[in-house]
Amino acid sequence: MRMKRIAVMLVLSLLAATLGGPALASAGATVQEGQKAMPEYEGKVNAPDFPEGLQWLNTDRPISIRELRGKIVLLDFWTYCCINCMHIIPNLKKLEKKYPDELVVIGVHSAKFTTEKETDNIRQAILRYEIEHPVINDKDHRVWSEFAVRAWPTLMLIDPAGKVVGRLEGEGGFEALDRYISGMIATFDAKKQIDRRPLKLALERHRTPTGLLAFPGKVLADEKTQQLFVSDSNHNRVVVVSLADNSVKEIIGAGDIGFSDGDYNSATFNHPQGMAFDAAANVLYVADTENHALRAVDLSKRAVTTIAGTGEQSREYVTFGGQGRQVALNSPWDLTLHDGLLYIAMAGPHQLWRMNPKTGGITPYAGTGREGRMDGPLDKAALAQPSGITSDGKKLYFADSEVSSVRAADLDPSGNVTTIVGEDLFEFGDRDGHGDEVRLQHPLGVTYHDGWLYVADTYNNKVKRVSPDKRTAETFAGTGESGLEDGSRARFDEPAGLAVAGGKLYVADTNNHAIRVVDLKTRRTETLQLKGLEKLMPTARSKTFAGDAVELAAQTIEPGEATLTINLDLPAGYKLNAQAPTVVKITSQGQPLFAEGEKTLRNPQFPVSLSVKLGAGDATVKADIVIYYCEAKKESLCFFKEAMVSLPVRVKAGVGNRQLTASYSLKVTN
């Protein structure tokens, strides 16, 4: 069984008193000082080395415990479906930032679901969760067994001498762990046994092109207003698309990770997911998942406001309701609106919640907080990481992801939770049929339409259609193989969100960074061809330049008139995006190239040649290029790239050359 939410389990209780409670379990001992127990920062048992033959990510080679001598090593045993494991990641990032030279975190991905054993799927999770430390694919639980791990998540601490010090199971314990690592550093520094040389890594994000959408988690379609809302989760924003012509209408959010209200350009989100739309009020509600908050977007005033959550994750096992801004929430993942009330799939505490946006009141609605699949009265049922929610006006339906089930909750507060299809925490698969024989694999999305539930059967790479009355399930779209392929034998890659409008099912195809469209009659799938793609460039992130900076070899020319030629080479299998103009801005330092000072070219045909004029003296030609490009065969799979190309120029009479050439070759390494 996976660990309960905030519970921190002890292996031994030797350090509990000194670290302020049951926070860190030691594999060593304590030293007595008077009547006060002092923590022992040195382990007694050698850490077993990693088995050979495992696949590693975020590094170009395997790493051994032996070569990490001199470092404090923190092993994170996780599986990417697990909400508790997701909650650990921000704490790991804080520790990595605080102790960049002394601490090495290594993720040990020991899968729960079959799909999670595949290295490429783990790679996608690393990119989605923005993990920047080495990760082992421990698909057969070999490392898990070597370290006698019992639960997800587990943190295992190893000292600079390569000995196990202790472990934490479950969430929480950051402050105690932080203090303990600080004590370890002081102890081993005194012995001159800390190695502060940086560990060289090869991060997956450096090998992956940047998409115009990034892991879109949910979609919401409104047929009346002809709008499609897309939670562009890893760009920390909401994209509004016109259903009439598929053009990008609005970008809601600056794109930076943050928790600030304001207008569309200044408001910030943190990996938003599900949405609900109140057409009468023209308000879009957003589950701002990693801010643990609910946001309201007034589409008339073009303003974002926080209506619930403090911005901090709730650490309480049992949480009572209150006024929205005063109640800490825990990973709200999806929303639906009924009779003016918001119903929330609150993944973190394994519950459904309800909020009245007019009064601001918010409270748990269904689920005790115990993780599992137990039907019964709303306040006694057990849920397991609900991640998608919808309604037919009579009941709530939700994708209960960790028990691979689709379940229902009555809208009558005295009603019950029931299971439509699915079994329990470790019962999963891919089997159509009736009732208890049905198997899903970690479904994340569900939407109701015309008597049917359409389910994003995420880890099976399929869309299923479920009858809530007959308790039947059938494959509606998708072969089950991961990939991006349209037509009657479509392929998806971990789809997570669904919405219906105009006889079409819109799918947030998360790992494909795309929106797919399934015709409800023919079941044929197409990839949505968005227009106005230049609006999708995440401008906030580009404030810190993350593209290629290329300095070319110096060239020498005659003073006076000359020709500047700019080349752009794309790799085989890619082409420039006709829907979004590539932009080249040409400037110079030292002396001007053009009478107007600079020149901007939109959608140029490469190679492009320009007349320039240079007098005596040196100059540096700069070409700032923003490139929008797509895969040639999959035109909807589009990316962007920024490059700054510098060309030093020496102007010297008598050399005879009047031609300058600046070339940039775009490399795609995924």
Side-chain angles (χ1 to χ4, degrees), residues 214-236:
F215 296 103
K218 299 290 184 183
V219 286
L220 174 65
D222 185 68
E223 190 169 339
K224 184 176 180 180
T225 61
Q226 288 289 285
Q227 294 181 105
L228 178 70
F229 303 97
V230 179
S231 56
D232 191 9
S233 303
N234 272 51
H235 284 153
N236 306 295

Side-chain angles (χ1 to χ4, degrees), residues 180-194:
Y180 195 78
I181 289 173
S182 179
M184 289 180 71
I185 292 171
T187 298
F188 282 89
D189 251 344
K191 298 181 175 185
K192 301 186 184 304
Q193 292 181 4
I194 294 288

Side-chain angles (χ1 to χ4, degrees), residues 104-116:
V104 172
V105 176
I106 293 180
V108 183
H109 189 275
S110 307
K112 170 186 173 180
F113 289 100
T114 304
T115 289
E116 294 178 303

Side-chain angles (χ1 to χ4, degrees), residues 188-206:
F188 282 89
D189 251 344
K191 298 181 175 185
K192 301 186 184 304
Q193 292 181 4
I194 294 288
D195 180 356
R196 288 185 167 82
R197 290 175 296 178
L199 185 67
K200 294 181 180 180
L201 301 176
L203 300 181
E204 300 302 321
R205 67 178 177 86
H206 291 158

Side-chain angles (χ1 to χ4, degrees), residues 145-197:
S145 298
E146 289 278 2
F147 282 88
V149 175
R150 305 175 303 179
W152 297 286
T154 290
L155 298 178
M156 191 74 65
L157 194 60
I158 300 170
D159 70 21
K163 298 182 183 297
V164 176
V165 178
R167 69 181 175 189
L168 289 172
E169 295 179 348
E171 294 183 41
F174 169 77
E175 292 78 9
L177 185 59
D178 182 22
R179 291 195 300 271
Y180 195 78
I181 289 173
S182 179
M184 289 180 71
I185 292 171
T187 298
F188 282 89
D189 251 344
K191 298 181 175 185
K192 301 186 184 304
Q193 292 181 4
I194 294 288
D195 180 356
R196 288 185 167 82
R197 290 175 296 178

